[in-house]
Each structure stands twice: as C-alpha cells, then as structure tokens.
Amino acid sequence: FRPLDVESIRKDFPIFATTPPLAFLDNAASTQTPRPVVEAMDDYYDTYRSNIHRGIYRISEEATAQYERAREKVAQLVNAPRARQIIFTRNTTESINLVAYSWGSANIQEGDEIVLTVMEHHSNLVPWQLMAQRTGAVLRFMEITDEGLLDFTQLHDLLTEKTKLVAVGHVSNVLGTINPIQSIIMAAHAVGAKVVVDAAQSVPHFQVDVQQLDCDFLAFSGHKMCGPTGIGVLYGKLELLEEMPPFLGGGSMIRSVERDVSSYAELPAKFEAGTPSIAEAIGLGHAVDYITQANLAALQVHEQELLKYAHNRLQEIEGITLYGPAPHQKAGVISFNMEGIHPHDVAGVLDTHDIAIRAGHHCAQPLMKRLDVIATARASFYLYNTIDDVDRLYEGLCRTQKLMTRSQRRRAE
Ligand code: PMP
C-alpha cells in the first residue's frame, strides 16, 4: 500500500484551514469530519430526505437504499458474514447496553460471573454493573501489569464454568494498549462464555475482522472514525441476535401488534425501534469509504510513526510520566502527567496555543485508581495528524512547564 498523503487528506477537513492550524490531538474522544461525509449527509437533507422502510414513493426508497447501503459498507469493514448482523445504534455505549439488557436478561442468572478488565471505559463497565444488580451476577476483573498490559497469569483462575460473559476493550482509550483479544476469546469460549468486544478505539484505527476474532459481539462508534455523532454499531453472531429478545419496543421493530402482545420483525429491524439516525448512518457509510480509501494499513503505519516520535520527544521533558506500554504494543494514544502540574492546567495552557488534548479521568476511573492518579493528560492521533502537531505539543508542554513553575515559585515567595 501507498503511505498516506496527509497533505491532501488535510484539505478535506476545513477545520485545519486556519493559521496556525489547529493541532487536534483529541481523536480518541472524537475525530473530525471530512467534506465527503458532510456532503453525503447534505445530499440526503437537500435531495431525498424522508423516513425509511415505509414510504411508497421515490425519495423514501432512495433513503432506504442509502441507509441499507451504509449497513453493507460497515459489514464489509469488519468482515461480518451478513449485513443483517450489523445493528445501528447511537454509539458504543448504546450497543453495549443493548447486549447487557437483551442478551443479559435472557442468559444471566444469580451467581453467574462476568469477567471484565480494570482498563475498561465506563461504557463497558457500568452496563454490566447494572446487569449484575438486576440479576445477582458477580463481576470479576482482570488486572494489569505495571507496564499497562493485561495480566494473563490470572486468566486461568478468572475463567471458570461460572463465567457466562467476558467484556473486554480491544484498545485502551487511556493507555493505548492493544489487548490480545483473540487469546481471550479462545479462552472464554473454552469455558462456554460469550465475548463482547468494545472496539471503539480499534475499528477506527486498524483492520478488525469479526470472523477471524470469532467474537460474539463487537461495538463501536461512528464519531471516532470520521463519521458523525449519533450513530454507532453493534455486530453480533447471527444465532445470538436471532434468539435475543428486543431491547427497545416501538415502531419499525414489529411484525404484528395485538392489544396485549406483539411479534417482532426479523434482524436487523428487531433492534432498531423508532426512526433511526438516517443521515448519520449514511454519513457513517461514507466515513467507512473515506478511511478505507485512505487505507487502514497505511493509517496504522502513520499513527505508529507519530506515536514513536511523540514517545521519544515527550520523554525528553523533565518530570514527565508516560503511561502504558512501549509504542509497538499500543495504538496512537499517549497518556502522561507532568510533575506538580494538574493535567487540566496542561490542557488549558496548550489550548491557548491552538493545541487540543484531553485531560481528566477519560471515563476510566478504576484504571486511574490502579495507576494511582486522579487524572492524566492525553494526546491521541488520527490520519490527518502530522509530525508538526507533535512538535507543537512538545514545545507547548515545555512552555507550560516554564509558565507553571514560574507562577508556583512566585506564589511560594
Ligand atoms: N469505549 C471506549 C474504549 C471509548 O474510548 C469510548 C469513547 N471514549 C467509548 C467506549 C464510548 O463511546 P461512545 O461515547 O461513543 O458511546
């Protein structure tokens, strides 16, 4: 594959047209949107806006076709055997809640065990806590090593005949760690447990193949992969999705409705109650086109280069702590703290130089506790970031350090 043509990619993102350009390094939270995605959604609004799956007129047929075309593109992206195994939701959070409510209510009983890791995002933790409270199931956690890798020595003890489900993040949104989920999935299946993969930080950044992984469910969000907000995806194995009861009830998800009972539509409609995010699904389809045309393998190489460079540069700064493993075990996420400076102050000073990073607990409070910090600063990359963005981050951090130590000294005097 050809390396990314970052210069021409950047031209598709009007947000980078300012001088100096915005150094946008908060891609793990949400990425920017290229023109082709916005134009595809504009085209829907301008020329064929209508509801789907019901109109018997031309523009509604067109909207339905485009919505279903988007589903096919997403299915192809993750190599799902059939498009109907792709359920459109609002985001990763809703996808995981769908599994917790629907699959959970039919399959989890008191005393059953759910295995998670301490590095989970709250959206792959709180739904399981709620489920455990409803059913009397027990949550168990895989710990991490000091390097920020999952501690596999525990896996054998954690997985027993009581384990009904393993819910694991593919890539940590804080540490960047790429977890060896294939081994986890094989081990979970060996004890008869199902596996939910939180792929919010993996599908946007490298090729994920649900058939190769053999995962039971996989969840991700459109807004982290050049798509709009308000659209997410749940992939599931066909036999599981077919057996599962509906999550939300309402229009579009039924076959027929009596006063007291209803029968439900086939997949995927069974899980798409009400009018869905039509423009957003179409936008996501075009975002899939955009990142696959850029080439996911080239994107991964580009992010690795930025990550290695950032690791080396940031390590030059005195008093900095970088969290997580070595770059080759990570995706393009780098969390850090600077001695004596709150990460919010770091992000605040960088913002005055048009550098956007994240600071906080990153919806991973149990992980913060494990790392023994309240918060971290975090820079994260995507296909449009450049070495210059990293240089500006480095220089901004040096300036932040000078500024903060000067004002701390002044306060002490
Ligand atoms: N899981 C991970 C690993 C994430 O990074 C995020 C987003 N920060 C989520 C889940 C939740 O995604 P969303 O807010 O789109 O539901």
Side-chain angles (χ1 to χ4, degrees):
F1 54 83
R2 269 182 297 138
L4 289 189
D5 182 354
V6 177
E7 215 171 298
S8 81
I9 285 172
R10 287 174 71 84
K11 293 198 180 107
D12 291 329
F13 294 81
I15 201 161
F16 300 130
T18 56
T19 315
L22 174 68
F24 186 73
L25 298 170
D26 192 19
N27 295 287
S30 202
T31 57
Q32 298 299 332
T33 330
R35 285 305 305 162
V37 171
V38 178
E39 281 161 12
M41 291 192 290
D42 279 353
D43 189 38
Y44 163 75
Y45 283 119
D46 290 344
T47 66
Y48 62 97
R49 178 181 164 140
S50 52
N51 215 323
I52 55 168
H53 297 316
R54 52 191 90 164
I56 323 170
Y57 48 89
R58 185 183 52 79
I59 59 168
S60 174
E61 278 166 11
E62 172 72 3
T64 305
Q66 293 297 337
Y67 182 80
E68 292 306 326
R69 181 82 195 93
R71 195 190 309 278
E72 281 162 21
K73 289 176 186 178
V74 171
Q76 230 166 23
L77 177 73
V78 296
N79 196 27
R82 295 164 205 83
R84 67 178 190 278
Q85 290 172 265
I86 299 296
I87 312 294
F88 283 133
T89 61
R90 272 192 310 137
N91 46 36
T92 306
T93 305
E94 187 177 296
S95 298
I96 295 172
N97 275 278
L98 191 163
V99 178
Y101 278 89
S102 168
W103 185 86
S105 66
N107 292 281
I108 298 293
Q109 287 165 3
E110 192 172 345
D112 287 346
E113 293 184 358
I114 317 297
V115 172
L116 312 168
T117 85
V118 292
M119 61 166 90
E120 294 316 309
H121 187 281
H122 295 165
S123 72
N124 198 27
L125 169 57
V126 182
W128 308 117
Q129 291 175 345
L130 292 169
M131 188 184 85
Q133 284 156 17
R134 281 196 306 273
T135 59
V138 177
L139 304 185
R140 301 191 68 193
F141 291 87
M142 204 168 164
E143 297 294 332
I144 56 168
T145 64
D146 290 339
E147 249 188 305
L149 299 169
L150 285 179
D151 181 2
F152 268 76
T153 58
Q154 279 186 302
L155 193 62
H156 189 69
D157 290 336
L158 280 173
L159 294 176
T160 69
E161 73 279 3
K162 285 190 187 164
T163 316
K164 290 292 176 307
L165 185 83
V166 176
V168 59
H170 199 172
V171 170
S172 161
N173 65 313
V174 177
L175 302 171
T177 314
I178 302 174
N179 290 321
I181 54 168
Q182 190 134 28
S183 316
I184 298 175
I185 291 166
M186 279 169 66
H189 286 169
V191 298
K194 303 295 182 214
V195 182
V196 179
V197 177
D198 171 356
Q201 298 292 349
S202 61
V203 166
H205 300 276
F206 53 86
Q207 198 70 59
V208 173
D209 182 329
V210 291
Q211 294 189 66
Q212 191 196 334
L213 287 175
D214 196 30
C215 55
D216 299 288
F217 299 101
L218 183 109
F220 55 99
S221 298
H223 68 93
K224 292 182 199 281
M225 50 192 286
C226 288
T229 56
I231 186 80
V233 173
L234 175 69
Y235 156 82
K237 279 191 179 159
L238 193 63
E239 63 276 17
L240 296 175
L241 292 174
E242 277 179 342
E243 281 169 12
M244 280 157 57
F247 171 39
L248 302 175
S252 304
M253 53 73 74
I254 50 88
R255 181 178 298 139
S256 75
V257 178
E258 307 282 332
R259 285 193 181 197
D260 298 317
V261 287
S262 299
S263 60
Y264 309 117
E266 299 292 325
L267 292 171
K270 180 170 81 173
F271 291 113
E272 293 183 4
T275 298
S277 301
I278 302 168
E280 290 76 6
I282 294 167
L284 175 60
H286 285 260
V288 170
D289 290 343
Y290 192 83
I291 61 171
T292 47
Q293 271 159 25
N295 191 311
L296 276 171
L299 188 155
Q300 193 180 5
V301 168
H302 176 67
E303 285 183 17
Q304 254 308 302
E305 272 171 19
L306 294 175
L307 183 67
K308 280 197 191 124
Y309 183 71
H311 252 255
N312 289 337
R313 287 237 76 181
L314 264 54
Q315 261 162 354
E316 292 169 21
I317 299 170
E318 217 187 292
I320 199 165
T321 306
L322 305 186
Y323 302 99
H328 70 277
Q329 289 161 309
K330 286 173 54 156
V333 176
I334 183 162
S335 273
F336 58 94
N337 264 320
M338 293 168 76
E339 203 179 344
I341 311 174
H342 195 284
H344 282 151
D345 290 332
V346 175
V349 178
L350 291 178
D351 181 47
T352 64
H353 300 286
D354 296 305
I355 303 163
I357 66 158
R358 188 70 145 206
H361 56 60
H362 315 292
C363 299
Q365 287 183 357
L367 177 58
M368 294 293 116
K369 208 162 190 181
R370 168 62 180 85
L371 298 174
D372 201 19
V373 294
I374 294 161
T376 74
R378 179 187 73 184
S380 51
F381 308 116
Y382 211 30
L383 74 174
Y384 38 63
N385 287 120
T386 61
I387 291 288
D388 185 54
D389 290 337
V390 180
D391 284 336
R392 284 175 59 196
L393 171 67
Y394 169 79
E395 284 152 20
L397 290 175
C398 294
R399 268 191 232 126
T400 309
Q401 199 166 42
K402 270 196 209 126
L403 190 80
M404 298 306 290
T405 40
R406 211 184 302 141
S407 68
Q408 279 164 4
R409 217 177 297 134
R410 222 177 284 137
R411 234 178 287 142
E413 277 165 13

